[in-house]
Amino acid sequence: MHSAPAPLDPRAFGNELVSAQAFADLPRIHATLARLRAHGKPLWVTPDNFRPFWAVGRHDQIVAASSDNDIFISSRRLNLMSRLQEAAAFRGAERYGKVLRTLVHMDEPDHKKYRAVTQYWFTAAAVKHRQAILEGLAREFARKFDGANGGVLDFAAEVATLFPLRVIMAILGIPLEDLPLMHRLTKTLSAPNDPDFSSDTARGDSMFDSIPEFTDYFLRVIADRRRHPRDDLATLIATGSVDAGPLGELEAVSYFITMAVAGHDTTAAAMAGGCAALAERPADWARLRRDPALLRHAADEMIRWVTPIKHFMRTVTRDCELGGQAIARGDGLALFYLSGNFDAAEFEAPAEFRIDRHPNRQIAFGFGPHVCLGMALSRLELTVWFSEMLRRVETLEPAGPARLLESNFLGGYKSVPIRYRLAERSGAAD
Ligand code: HEM
């Protein structure tokens, strides 16, 4: 006999959904999200120290809300921040009236206009032109595997965190000597609750500490490219126009900040989680070595499996209905992509990692008008990197437990220890 699932307590369940620690513990968060999906409709939750919100866990409901940019807008509330963090964002807004105004914060009509500034640059065809840069960097990072025939390394720390950062710095046109600075700046913004990266987790509102430094840095880059244009993405943003004028200062700086943060930690998480999954599945590694063309499906499966961005939020502009649930004007919704990507109504055997999953309607890049601008770049990074690694590394296995970042928003891996054996003739000079 099946008994009905126990009703979910809005406060306790809400506390779990906003908990950074819960997201660092995969069985725990997946069990929580399965309960949310079993509830069927969006669920109103009232966690401590956060404004209440509707939690949306089903794939079809996330797609529906993301598709309608009129009713479900982005500008009011972007992601789940504690009241303390929201107050910090308010204080950080002194300089421009808002702490940040990126594409993800914008609604129409501005969103389309600002997106158009770089839209073409990020198409799959245009990104292909940068493939040689990515391949050069992949060869450089693959040298970390060289040395004795086999060894152990922490893939997250040695490769995954740095490769996408180097890629984004190269295509933006940021000099290599600024790598430590970029790394530190992006981590304080993206991992404010993790004791290893936050400048002060006890304070609870350190998230925006890096913004003034970021702003000054990118204002210098913008001024430089306006004087000395080059063939890089920084020049495109610095010299781009919206409504026949240059981008606003806040918007231009925010553009750079999104590129640096979204372009780095997200792909890093997919790479690290993808490598961890493959290390646990030696037969899959062997199959990919035999048939590297499968990487195009495997890359999307890594992205689904990890779902680096756990949620984004929307606010409704008028009374409406989602998944049979009435939602009142002004209410906030959190779209849990990680939940949608494990929804059995959309994916066959979602708890299985399948390198040949196809079709794969994963929603880790979001959906609709705000769908990730960097998705072609990110897919290319994953295929270029893993092609190189497959060529070099014959066998792979875990060399210890993987450790995840504590974050309810942009997740990732702090450590993925692997033991590997090199393929014959895999040297750096190949
Ligand atoms: C696996 C890697 C990535 C994941 C999982 C990811 C995820 C996402 C998601 C979920 C959104 C949608 C936001 C929303 O609906 O509100 C988004 C938007 C965006 N992403 Fe990514 N992203 C990734 C890589 C990148 C890269 C490499 C870049 C740039 C270099 C990038 C730049 C952006 C930008 C600019 C937007 C805003 C688009 C808009 O609002 O119109 N992302 N991303």
Side-chain angles (χ1 to χ4, degrees):
M1 203 179 76
H2 292 288
S3 50
L8 300 171
D9 175 60
R11 180 173 166 221
F13 196 71
N15 283 338
E16 189 65 9
L17 283 177
V18 299
S19 159
Q21 292 79 27
F23 281 88
D25 178 345
L26 291 178
R28 173 174 161 190
I29 194 62
H30 278 300
T32 299
L33 296 174
R35 292 174 73 198
L36 174 62
R37 288 191 299 274
H39 176 75
K41 300 174 178 182
L43 176 74
W44 184 247
V45 291
T46 55
D48 301 326
N49 310 319
F50 282 69
R51 285 190 281 151
F53 61 93
W54 293 99
V56 185
R58 291 220 175 176
H59 189 281
D60 58 344
Q61 293 164 12
I62 296 171
V63 166
S66 308
S67 304
D68 187 336
N69 225 0
D70 285 333
I71 298 186
F72 299 91
I73 60 167
S74 301
S75 56
R76 302 270 174 81
R77 196 175 173 191
L78 190 74
N79 63 315
L80 290 169
M81 290 196 279
S82 67
R83 290 182 193 275
L84 261 177
Q85 287 170 333
E86 288 185 339
F90 189 72
R91 285 197 304 279
E94 242 169 40
R95 192 156 171 180
Y96 294 113
K98 284 186 194 319
V99 69
L100 279 172
R101 189 165 184 251
T102 71
L103 288 184
V104 261
H105 290 87
M106 290 182 191
D107 296 315
E108 304 312 341
D110 283 6
H111 169 254
K112 258 199 202 72
K113 297 181 200 167
Y114 276 89
R115 192 171 160 117
V117 173
T118 56
Q119 178 120 17
Y120 172 73
W121 196 98
F122 278 106
T123 56
V127 159
K128 267 263 178 210
H129 292 306
R130 314 283 153 166
Q131 184 159 340
I133 300 179
L134 273 61
E135 287 170 347
L137 285 170
R139 281 195 298 276
E140 181 186 327
F141 276 87
R143 288 197 195 106
K144 300 201 177 210
F145 289 97
D146 290 348
N149 185 19
V152 172
L153 67 73
D154 186 339
F155 183 80
E158 297 277 326
V159 181
T161 343
L162 296 171
F163 173 74
L165 182 58
R166 289 285 304 280
V167 169
I168 197 72
M169 286 177 66
I171 61 184
L172 267 175
I174 302 291
L176 189 54
E177 71 252 26
D178 291 342
L179 184 100
L181 178 78
M182 296 297 287
H183 197 231
R184 182 171 56 77
L185 290 179
T186 55
K187 277 289 181 243
T188 49
L189 192 63
S190 67
N193 299 310
D194 192 289
D196 288 359
F197 295 114
S198 169
S199 51
D200 187 353
T201 40
R203 222 176 77 209
D205 64 353
S206 59
M207 170 170 198
F208 299 104
D209 285 3
S210 61
I211 297 283
E213 211 178 334
F214 251 138
T215 303
D216 292 338
Y217 181 87
F218 286 125
L219 283 176
R220 284 197 298 276
V221 174
I222 293 167
D224 174 71
R225 294 309 194 279
R226 284 183 181 159
R227 277 197 309 273
H228 312 289
R230 297 191 213 160
D231 176 26
D232 61 22
L233 189 54
T235 304
L236 192 63
I237 301 167
T239 62
S241 68
V242 165
D243 291 335
L247 277 70
E249 199 168 287
L250 168 68
E251 288 78 5
V253 168
S254 298
Y255 227 115
F256 278 98
I257 296 180
T258 338
M259 296 294 156
V261 179
H264 159 207
D265 287 319
T266 49
T267 310
M271 268 175 79
C275 182
L278 289 168
E280 282 161 10
R281 295 167 180 78
D284 282 345
W285 186 257
R287 188 172 164 208
L288 281 171
R289 272 180 57 81
R290 283 194 308 276
D291 185 5
L294 269 181
L295 262 182
R296 70 181 193 283
H297 299 319
D300 255 40
E301 182 66 345
M302 294 180 204
I303 294 165
R304 180 189 76 89
W305 191 247
V306 175
T307 309
I309 296 192
K310 308 307 165 191
H311 71 274
F312 263 114
M313 295 194 75
R314 297 291 189 264
T315 303
V316 302
T317 54
R318 52 178 181 267
D319 292 355
C320 65
E321 175 274 324
L322 183 69
Q325 176 64 57
I327 314 267
R329 176 167 180 249
D331 284 353
L333 299 93
L335 311 177
F336 285 99
Y337 305 121
L338 182 65
S339 176
N341 274 342
F342 282 75
D343 186 344
E346 178 60 41
F347 300 96
E348 191 184 293
E352 284 176 22
F353 179 78
R354 293 185 173 174
I355 53 173
D356 56 358
R357 189 181 289 280
H358 181 70
N360 185 345
R361 280 182 281 272
Q362 56 87 4
I363 45 172
F365 290 123
F367 194 86
H370 282 279
V371 72
C372 179
L373 195 59
M375 64 186 173
L377 175 63
S378 179
R379 284 184 172 125
L380 187 66
E381 286 183 55
L382 285 166
T383 45
V384 164
W385 165 258
F386 280 102
S387 302
E388 181 64 23
M389 186 170 159
L390 283 166
R391 212 164 63 79
R392 296 284 177 105
V393 172
E394 186 168 342
T395 60
L396 188 64
E397 62 180 24
R403 276 195 316 128
L404 279 94
L405 206 67
E406 293 179 15
S407 167
N408 70 12
F409 177 48
L410 212 171
Y413 285 77
K414 287 200 278 201
S415 173
V416 175
I418 53 166
R419 182 171 295 109
Y420 60 92
R421 192 154 56 82
L422 291 177
E424 277 176 37
R425 294 178 40 75
S426 68
D430 288 3

